[in-house]
Structures are given as structure tokens and as C-alpha cells.
């Protein structure tokens, strides 16, 4: 879920500044046992699960990129998957419904076992079988069956899916040791048996992860990097303090908005980089019968009242851009469907829709947000102010710890909630099925046969440009039904000390978090 994980160009950023608000971070004080070669990376995106069948948030996916292998992966700046655990992969049918991979024969699990196609089959089937509420099973919606023999694995798809090679590069495609993971439940404990560029030395939930280069790694990564400590911080202000007190060497996702706004690449002793990103944040609305936002006219009325420009300028200090479509700028199929339908704030239009719906005014609902994640609380207060200033809505704000927030939205009990989305791979499909398809990870209760048909139709084309018509119609339908209201599109910031290089490669919108690219200079 993710959240949220886009065509993102990511770089290295520098900061000098203040304190502020939240996202999800990595925290730890230096230990006496820490190697002098260790690079300390701070973030607010903590991993919620060590089991790839049970995590779909950006923190978990970032960790999976480093400790597990996938059949295919995406190299820095590339938009086409290349082999990692596989020697080769390709569609073997012109209808894009059969995908065949041959594994390398030199990949060894920590147990000493050779990886086989049976492990790959087990890993994919396990994600679908467990179908965790907060896991990545929705990514495998077109996977019908997996066949394995020796070092060859064949995927049979229920419908044409040109994006399947991208899907096997994600956390959902993480290959686990079939002798170490239960086949129908998430693994407990703090152990990982993967074959990625790093091995997990230790893990303290919500505090830190310690990683060592995997000397037995064989795959697409040419050189494994330095030892890494991922330090998880409770909010952006805590991350900022750790950075300014030199307790970390790299700060990423997410410093306070006011700190990001004051970043200056010319500051001595720092490396700063800012890049466009296709990370998005949307307001999700519970469409279920009996909920206060069930009627689409109520949701349309809300869309007439949201001022994204003010939100971006006042809460985020211009470090994000207003977003008017499901698919962000820079991704194939991007439109301005919400601007086309709701071009300005118009209380009169909203009032007409609510009168037509026959609802009692003001419409009352609860807006929920995750505490300690970016400027979520401030954002919630601003959206409440915008809706209530019309006199048409009465909004109750409710904050939850991130783990509770995840479970409550997965349980379908929240009226409205905003969630950031970091794309799984650089293709518009990652903004479709997982967000607004039937059974989507965001779990708004929304289901549209028209939307599902358009999602499936857009997956038919290996030439993604040919899908633009379906993607345009998809976004127009969503703008009419309003199960979600796009809010903003992020920029990517990474800050490091001047003696750490490679931060510009840490993340680039491919869904891969490349800790192995960080080096001492």
C-alpha cells in the first residue's frame, strides 16, 4: 500500500535548518560497535514488515529492494527491466499472457540452498494466498498460475498484461527461501532469508536496520556498497535534529517542508539535490453504502471546494506541486481531468450538488490521518478549513499511529483519509489498479466495471503510448465518480554530507531504493 510506492528522478540534497513535522523516519544513535565504514541513513519511512508478502508501504519496499532479489530489476535511469535473479525473461505469446523466465544457477540462499524455480513459484503463490490487507497482492491481479521446472518458471496471466515485467521487479516479486517461510501465513521474528545485495544483521522495529554487503550476491548489481545503518525517525522534526547534530550522513524522506524550502546546494559541507518526482498524495473517500460520502454528488461537491494551490503553498512551502489527475506529470497518460471538471473553487456548484443529493447540511464526516508522517496533521487542518468555510461540511479530525492508520483504512472503516503513493514501477498502470480498481489497496469500497475494463485495456499494449486513450478515459471516469481527489505531486530531496557520494542514485522513480550506490568519497 504504500503508498504509496512513479517516474521519479531523485538526487542528493543538502540542508541546514529548523524543525518541523512528520513522515516516517529511521532513528538510532551511534553505537560503539559501528564500523567506521558504515554510512548512516536517516528517514521517516520505517519498514512495517520484514516479510514481502505483508508490506506495501514505501519503507518496507525500500528495504526489500536491498535484501531480496527479483527476477528482473530496473537500473538507474532505465525504464525497461533487466535480469537480476533471472538469466532472461520474455513473453512467449503475442497475446501477452505467457511470461517465461530462466533463473541463474549461481544464486545461493543464506541456508546454503540453491535458488530454484520452485522458490520463485512459492514466493508468488504465497503473496496471492496470504493476500494481506496491507500487502502487495493487488499487484498480481492478472497472475493466474505459476509453473516451475528446474530453473525455468512460466507465468500464465488471466488477461494481456504488458506491465507484468515491471510487476516482477517490485516487492511483490521478492524471492524467498521456500524452506524458511510459511506458505499460508506471514513470517514472525526479525529474520530475512534473501539473496539481495545486502544481508540483514539486526532490526529494531521503528528504530533501525543494520545491513552488511552480501558477498554471495549474484545479479544485476555490479558492486555491493558500504555497510549501512537505516535509522528510523518518528517525524521530520526528529530527522532534522539528527541531521543537524551529525548523527546521520544522509537524510531522505522526509525533512520538514520549511527545511526543504530553505535548502541551498551552495552551502559548504553538504550535497543537495532536488529532482522532479512522481510520488503523489491523494484524498481517498469511502464510497460504501451507509457512509456519509457514499453519494457521488457529495464527493463531487468536495472536489469543487479543494484548493490545491493554497495547500501546496501554505502547508508545504512550494516543495510540492498541485495535482489535478490520478496519473502525475511525467508519466504516460497524464491529464488534468480534475481541473477540467472542477476548474476553480465554487461554493455555488457544491451547494447545488448537495441539494440534488438531498443530504442534510452540513454533511458530517471524519477525516483521518497518520500522526507523525510529514505535514499530515497540518494538511488535514487546512482541508478541514477549506471544506467548512463553505458552510456545507462539518469535519472531525482524527489522528492515528501509522500502524493503526494502515489497519483502519485496510478495514474500510475510515470516511476520508490522505495517503502518499510512491509508484512501484515507472508505468501509469501503478496509478490504476492499486488505487481505484475493484479490490484496490486503498480500499475505498469503490468498484466500477467501466474503470476495471479501462485498466485491463490499458495493459494490452507493449507500446505504452498506445494506451493513452484508455488512460485518458480512465481518469475522466474517476474525476466524475470521485472515489479519490488528487492533492499534490512531490519533489524528491536527498541530503548528504560532502564526503558521501551516490545520493543522487538512491531513488529515481523506478521503485528501487539503491543503498549500494552510497559511497565514501
Amino acid at each position: 500500500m504504500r503508498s504509496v510506492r512513479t517516474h521519479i528522478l531523485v538526487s542528493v540534497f543538502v540542508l541546514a535548518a529548523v524543525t518541523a513535522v512528520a513522515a516516517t523516519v529511521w532513528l538510532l544513535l551511534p553505537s560503539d560497535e559501528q564500523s567506521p565504514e558504515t554510512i548512516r541513513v536517516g528517514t521517516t519511512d520505517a519498514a512495517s514488515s520484514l516479510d514481502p508478502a505483508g508490506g506495501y508501504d514505501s519503507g518496507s519496499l525500500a528495504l526489500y529492494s536491498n535484501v531480496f532479489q527479483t527476477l528482473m530489476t530496473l537500473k538507474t535511469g532505465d525504464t525497461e527491466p533487466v535480469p537480476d535473479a533471472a538469466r532472461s525473461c520474455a513473453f512467449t505469446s503475442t497475446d501477452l499472457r505467457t511470461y517465461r523466465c530462466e533463473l541463474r544457477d549461481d544464486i545461493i540462499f543464506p541456508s546454503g540452498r540453491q535458488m530454484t524455480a520452485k522458490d520463485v513459484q512459492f514466493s508468488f503463490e504465497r503473496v496471492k494466498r496470504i493476500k494481506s490487507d496491507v500487502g502487495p497482492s493487488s499487484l498480481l491481479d492478472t497472475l493466474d498460475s505459476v509453473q516451475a521446472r528446474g530453473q525455468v518458471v512460466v507465468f500464465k496471466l488471466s488477461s494481456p498484461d504488458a506491465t507484468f515485467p515491471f510487476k516482477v521487479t517490485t516487492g511483490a516479486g521478492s524471492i524467498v527461501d521456500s524452506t524458511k517461510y510459511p506458505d499460508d501465513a506471514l513470517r514472525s521474528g526479525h529474520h530475512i532469508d534473501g539473496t539481495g545485495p545486502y544481508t540483514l544483521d539486526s532490526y529494531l522495529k521503528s528504530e533501525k536496520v543494520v545491513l552488511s554487503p552480501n558477498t554471495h550476491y549474484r545479479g544485476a548489481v555490479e558492486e555491493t556498497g558500504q555497510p549501512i545503518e537505516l535509522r528510523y525517525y518518528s517525524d521530520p522534526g526528529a530527522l532534522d535534529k539528527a541531521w543537524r547534530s551529525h548523527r546521520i550522513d544522509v537524510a531522505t524522506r522526509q525533512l520538514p517542508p520549511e527545511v526543504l524550502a530553505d535548502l541551498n546546494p551552495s552551502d559548504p559541507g553538504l550535497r543537495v539535490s532536488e529532482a522532479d518526482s512522481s510520488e503523489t498524495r491523494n484524498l481517498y473517500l469511502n464510497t460504501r453504502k451507509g457512509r456519509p460520502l457514499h453519494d457521488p454528488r457529495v464527493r463531487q461537491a468536495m472536489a469543487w471546494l479543494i484548493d490545491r494551490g493554497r495547500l501546496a503553498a501554505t502547508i508545504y512551502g512550494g516543495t510540492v506541486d498541485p495535482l489535478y489527475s490520478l496519473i502525475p506529470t511525467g508519466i504516460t497518460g497524464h491529464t488534468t481531468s480534475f481541473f477540467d471538471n472542477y476548474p476553480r473553487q465554487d461554493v455555488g456548484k457544491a451547494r447545488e450538488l448537495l441539494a440534488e443529493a438531498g443530504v442534510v447540511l452540513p454533511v458530517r464526516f471524519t477525516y483521518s490521518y497518520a500522526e507523525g508522517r510529514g505535514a499530515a496533521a497540518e494538511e488535514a487542518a487546512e482541508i478541514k478549513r477549506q471544506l467548512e468555510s463553505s458552510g456545507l461540511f462539518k469535519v472531525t479530525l482524527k489522528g492515528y499511529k501509522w500502524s493503526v492508520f494502515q489497519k483502519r483504512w485496510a478495514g474500510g472503516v475510515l470516511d476520508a483519509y490522505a495517503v502518499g503513493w510512491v509508484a512501484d514501477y515507472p508505468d501509469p498502470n501503478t496509478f490504476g489498479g492499486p488505487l481505484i480498481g475493484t479490490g484496490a489497496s486503498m480500499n475505498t469500497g469503490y468498484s466500477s466495471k467501466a474503470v476495471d475494463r479501462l485498466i485491463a485495456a490499458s495493459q494490452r499494449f507493449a507500446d505504452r503510448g498506445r494506451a493513452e486513450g484508455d488512460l485518458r478515459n480512465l481518469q475522466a471516469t474517476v474525476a466524475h465518480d470521485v472515489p479519490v481527489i488528487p492533492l499534490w505531486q512531490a519533489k524528491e530531496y536527498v541530503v548528504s554530507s560532502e564526503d558521501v557520494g551516490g545520493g543522487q542514485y538512491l531513488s529515481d522513480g523506478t521503485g528501487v531504493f539503491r543503498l549500494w550506490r552510497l559511497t565514501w568519497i
Side-chain angles (χ1 to χ4, degrees), residues 361-378:
L361 299 180
V363 176
R364 299 175 181 271
F365 71 92
T366 299
Y367 181 112
S368 302
Y369 62 93
E371 297 172 338
R373 293 184 71 91
E378 291 81 358

Side-chain angles (χ1 to χ4, degrees), residues 12 39 226 271 496-504 517-521:
V12 183
I39 296 177
Q226 301 290 322
R271 294 178 181 270
S496 72
S497 58
E498 64 177 346
D499 53 356
V500 175
Q504 69 269 36
R517 295 301 301 267
L518 298 176
T519 59
W520 292 111
I521 297 176

Side-chain angles (χ1 to χ4, degrees), residues 303-476:
W304 276 110
L305 301 175
I306 298 294
D307 186 344
R308 298 163 180 80
R310 179 180 174 84
L311 193 68
T314 62
I315 304 303
Y316 293 98
T319 61
V320 302
D321 294 320
L323 180 64
Y324 296 92
S325 63
L326 195 64
I327 299 172
T329 303
I331 301 290
T332 299
H334 167 73
T335 67
T336 56
S337 56
F338 273 79
F339 183 84
D340 298 341
N341 283 269
Y342 316 99
R344 64 191 178 280
Q345 285 59 59
D346 193 321
V347 176
K349 296 277 190 184
R351 188 181 298 277
E352 289 176 10
L353 284 163
L354 296 176
E356 184 181 319
V359 296
V360 175
L361 299 180
V363 176
R364 299 175 181 271
F365 71 92
T366 299
Y367 181 112
S368 302
Y369 62 93
E371 297 172 338
R373 293 184 71 91
E378 291 81 358
E379 175 185 79
E382 173 60 21
I383 290 175
K384 169 184 167 74
R385 187 199 66 76
Q386 292 182 13
L387 293 174
E388 289 187 343
S389 65
S390 69
L392 303 175
F393 289 89
K394 182 64 177 177
V395 183
T396 300
L397 299 182
K398 177 66 174 175
Y400 296 95
K401 291 177 61 175
W402 173 246
S403 58
V404 177
F405 180 68
Q406 280 185 303
K407 291 176 182 177
R408 291 188 67 81
W409 109 48
V413 298
L414 303 181
D415 292 335
Y417 45 99
V419 180
W421 183 253
V422 179
D424 302 289
Y425 47 87
D427 187 272
N429 181 251
T430 195
F431 299 95
L435 302 186
I436 42 83
T438 298
S441 298
M442 289 305 141
N443 200 25
T444 61
Y446 177 69
S447 180
S448 164
K449 291 182 179 178
V451 163
D452 290 343
R453 281 196 300 268
L454 288 166
I455 291 171
S458 71
Q459 295 173 166
R460 294 175 300 164
F461 303 108
D463 177 356
R464 304 307 287 141
R466 295 179 61 193
E468 287 196 13
D470 294 320
L471 296 170
R472 184 169 53 253
N473 292 336
L474 170 67
Q475 291 173 98

